[in-house]
Amino acid sequence: MPMVGKTIKWYRNDQGMIQEQLAEGICSPTYISQLENDLIPTNKEILQKICQRLGINENKVLCEVDLALLKKIKDWLKHIHEFDVTNAKDYYNEIEKKINEDTHFDIEYLYELALFGYLLITDQLKSLDQLFNKISKYSELYIESDIYSYYKFVGIYFKRKGKFIDSLKHLKRAEKIIGEGEDPELCLALAIVYSNINMILISNRYARQAFKKFHDKLYYNRILECQIVLNINYSLARDFDSIDSQLERLIEMEDDNITEKTRANIIYHIGIVNIMKKNYNQAIKYLLKVRKLNINQADYLSARYALVHLYLETGETHLLKNEIEEALQIAKEFNQERFIIKFNVFKFSLADNREKLVNYLKEVAIPFFEESGEILELKRDYELMGNTLYDLKRYKSAAEYYRLLNLKHIKLTNY
């Protein structure tokens, strides 16, 4: 039972006990030390008393490990890592019925890690936050249970939350465990994160590694996702010749074989490219089309954010208020902090309350994006802060933000 000792140690530390306190009247401190380090076979009677003192459900420690169920969960994990949603759903439906409050810790930890990955690939965003809170609290136990799955899944979770620096730290640890280029899903996640922190060359390298692996396996939808990342990077580099050729390929491949989410990614990206080429009416048309698809709208708040900018640019200001309020409601419902901040900045800007805007940018928005690593949004907020302070005749303070805006390389917090 490899997780029993580690579980005992975690609960003991969590309750502020030293080994002597846990051992008192039950066994020797040496026995506790050996138990926590898996150096001795467990004694059922002693283990029962230790569980009672720590308030642990003793059945989760003393019952036999269901080896068949353990294997089933490992097979489920394999499908989750490969983004095989269809088979992952089948395994979930079978396994979920067998998990209860007495399930052995060895199985429970692996099950919850797999469940976390499953919620990620099936876009169950509301359930993710609750499970993440548990996993983060017991992180050392989940790391011991399956260190690669832990770092990969948590890294992808942070990516979806827009916390790109935290995401990168976890994904790189996962890569160190498995080896560079071995897992195309990990490569794709890294490509997306590096793109968002504006490290385009590294992003392209990972996107191409993922593309090759997916191409070898004929994973059609994932191939398209890699092409979208590459095209985003061409957009950021203003390489419009490459963008046009890639867009033609993406549009040609938009057929009935792709998922609604991949279709949404293609349509959204075409909208963004049209913004960059100042084809605003075309951009609005594509971004509105995204909203009609059967997708989780929380994943496409970026489309609504782009629409807000377009409505302001094209003078359709009568559409702004409803768009912002609707987007804020979705962002709050799904606990998408980055978009709550983005839309609040827009809301305060439109309200023309400059003091409130300055305070919000200084205390909330800029610190968040400095820490998360979302470079383009950070630069947008630096510019807005500079302009607002300039209008308030605080020229020295405004100059500092203009200086930050014009730095060739922005230093990111914790990176």
Side-chain angles (χ1 to χ4, degrees):
M1 296 186 287
M3 292 302 297
V4 169
K6 295 173 180 65
T7 300
I8 297 295
K9 183 178 181 179
W10 190 94
Y11 277 93
R12 176 178 62 77
N13 287 332
D14 185 59
Q15 295 178 33
M17 285 190 192
I18 60 174
Q19 290 177 340
E20 286 77 7
Q21 289 173 307
L22 179 57
E24 187 177 356
I26 298 175
C27 59
S28 69
T30 302
Y31 182 92
I32 296 293
S33 175
Q34 291 176 327
L35 173 66
E36 290 181 347
N37 289 285
D38 299 315
L39 297 176
I40 54 172
T42 56
N43 178 291
K44 186 175 180 178
E45 184 179 344
I46 292 176
L47 203 53
Q48 189 173 27
K49 291 178 181 178
I50 289 172
C51 288
Q52 289 170 353
R53 179 161 292 176
L54 291 172
I56 298 173
N57 178 355
E58 57 196 65
N59 292 327
K60 300 177 76 63
V61 170
L62 298 174
C63 70
E64 291 294 322
V65 176
D66 185 338
L67 296 179
L69 180 56
L70 191 63
K71 181 181 183 305
K72 185 73 70 175
I73 294 172
K74 289 179 179 179
D75 291 340
W76 182 33
L77 262 172
K78 183 173 180 247
H79 291 294
I80 293 166
H81 277 295
E82 293 178 351
F83 211 91
D84 182 353
V85 175
T86 301
N87 280 313
K89 284 181 178 179
D90 290 340
Y91 272 84
Y92 169 75
N93 291 332
E94 182 180 352
I95 292 169
E96 188 268 341
K97 299 171 187 174
K98 300 177 180 179
I99 303 297
N100 57 54
E101 61 183 14
D102 293 330
T103 298
H104 195 284
F105 279 123
D106 285 19
I107 291 178
E108 181 181 78
Y109 296 138
L110 197 62
Y111 167 77
E112 289 182 337
L113 266 182
L115 179 61
F116 190 64
Y118 176 72
L119 295 175
L120 281 168
I121 69 170
T122 53
D123 299 326
Q124 298 184 56
L125 304 186
K126 290 182 183 179
S127 301
L128 265 173
D129 290 339
Q130 184 177 357
L131 186 53
F132 173 72
N133 290 336
K134 181 175 184 179
I135 285 175
S136 58
K137 180 181 179 182
Y138 297 95
S139 59
E140 60 193 79
L141 294 172
Y142 291 108
I143 288 170
E144 289 287 350
S145 181
D146 184 343
I147 188 168
Y148 178 68
S149 294
Y150 175 83
Y151 283 125
K152 177 182 172 181
F153 295 159
V154 172
I156 293 172
Y157 171 80
F158 279 132
K159 173 179 69 69
R160 295 188 72 160
K161 286 289 186 179
K163 297 183 176 181
F164 298 111
I165 299 303
D166 287 332
S167 174
L168 186 59
K169 288 177 180 178
H170 285 79
L171 294 175
K172 291 298 287 183
R173 286 177 180 175
E175 182 184 49
K176 189 173 181 181
I177 294 163
I178 198 172
E180 184 174 331
E182 291 302 311
D183 180 349
E185 289 295 336
L186 180 65
C187 289
L188 179 56
L190 281 162
I192 293 169
V193 170
Y194 275 118
S195 179
N196 276 280
I197 63 174
N198 213 32
M199 300 181 74
I200 304 305
L201 293 178
I202 301 177
S203 174
N204 283 343
R205 174 164 63 84
Y206 279 108
R208 291 186 180 112
Q209 285 179 350
F211 180 92
K212 185 178 183 305
K213 291 276 187 180
F214 289 134
H215 189 272
D216 291 343
K217 297 179 178 181
L218 300 177
Y219 287 0
Y220 187 62
N221 283 281
R222 309 313 280 164
I223 290 169
L224 287 173
E225 296 291 347
C226 294
Q227 289 181 318
I228 290 169
V229 175
L230 289 167
N231 218 35
I232 288 169
N233 291 340
Y234 292 137
S235 301
L236 292 170
R238 298 299 194 272
D239 184 355
F240 288 110
D241 290 337
S242 296
I243 290 170
D244 288 337
S245 63
Q246 284 284 338
L247 276 181
E248 287 176 13
R249 292 181 64 190
L250 287 173
I251 293 168
E252 287 171 5
M253 297 174 81
E254 189 197 341
D255 59 23
D256 293 336
N257 293 318
I258 65 173
T259 65
E260 285 288 272
K261 187 169 183 179
T262 299
R263 190 186 311 281
N265 285 342
I266 293 171
I267 295 170
Y268 167 72
H269 181 56
I270 294 171
I272 296 302
V273 171
N274 273 288
I275 292 175
M276 300 183 75
K277 298 173 95 171
K278 300 188 183 301
N279 299 328
Y280 296 140
N281 289 330
Q282 278 292 100
I284 290 172
K285 172 186 159 188
Y286 278 106
L287 293 173
L288 288 174
K289 190 176 176 182
V290 171
R291 291 159 63 160
K292 296 178 182 178
L293 298 175
N294 182 26
I295 52 174
N296 190 323
Q297 289 297 327
D299 273 333
Y300 291 92
L301 283 165
S302 51
R304 293 174 184 269
Y305 189 56
L307 275 171
V308 169
H309 283 279
L310 284 169
Y311 289 148
L312 193 62
E313 184 71 32
T314 57
E316 298 180 81
T317 52
H318 61 287
L319 297 172
L320 282 172
K321 184 177 179 181
N322 284 342
E323 192 67 45
I324 291 171
E325 290 303 327
E326 193 174 320
L328 269 171
Q329 185 177 348
I330 295 170
K332 290 173 182 176
E333 181 184 352
F334 287 90
N335 194 25
Q336 291 289 317
E337 186 179 4
R338 65 191 284 229
F339 283 108
I340 293 172
I341 292 171
K342 288 183 183 187
F343 285 109
N344 272 332
V345 167
F346 228 117
K347 190 175 180 179
F348 297 150
S349 299
L350 294 172
D352 201 27
N353 187 333
R354 294 177 183 175
E355 290 295 344
K356 189 171 185 178
L357 176 60
V358 165
N359 288 335
Y360 191 79
L361 285 168
K362 182 179 179 181
E363 296 173 11
V364 180
I366 287 174
F368 179 88
F369 292 114
E370 283 178 338
E371 187 172 350
S372 73
E374 194 170 347
I375 293 291
L376 294 180
E377 195 62 35
L378 180 59
K379 286 188 171 184
R380 189 179 285 122
D381 284 350
Y382 281 160
E383 183 177 19
L384 179 59
M385 185 68 141
N387 291 343
T388 306
L389 289 169
Y390 188 88
D391 290 342
L392 291 168
K393 304 187 186 312
R394 299 176 193 169
Y395 302 122
K396 185 175 180 181
S397 297
E400 176 60 22
Y401 283 98
Y402 289 141
R403 185 188 70 80
L404 290 171
L405 175 64
N406 292 314
L407 286 177
K408 187 174 181 182
H409 298 290
I410 294 176
K411 184 177 181 181
L412 299 169
T413 305
N414 296 327
Y415 181 65

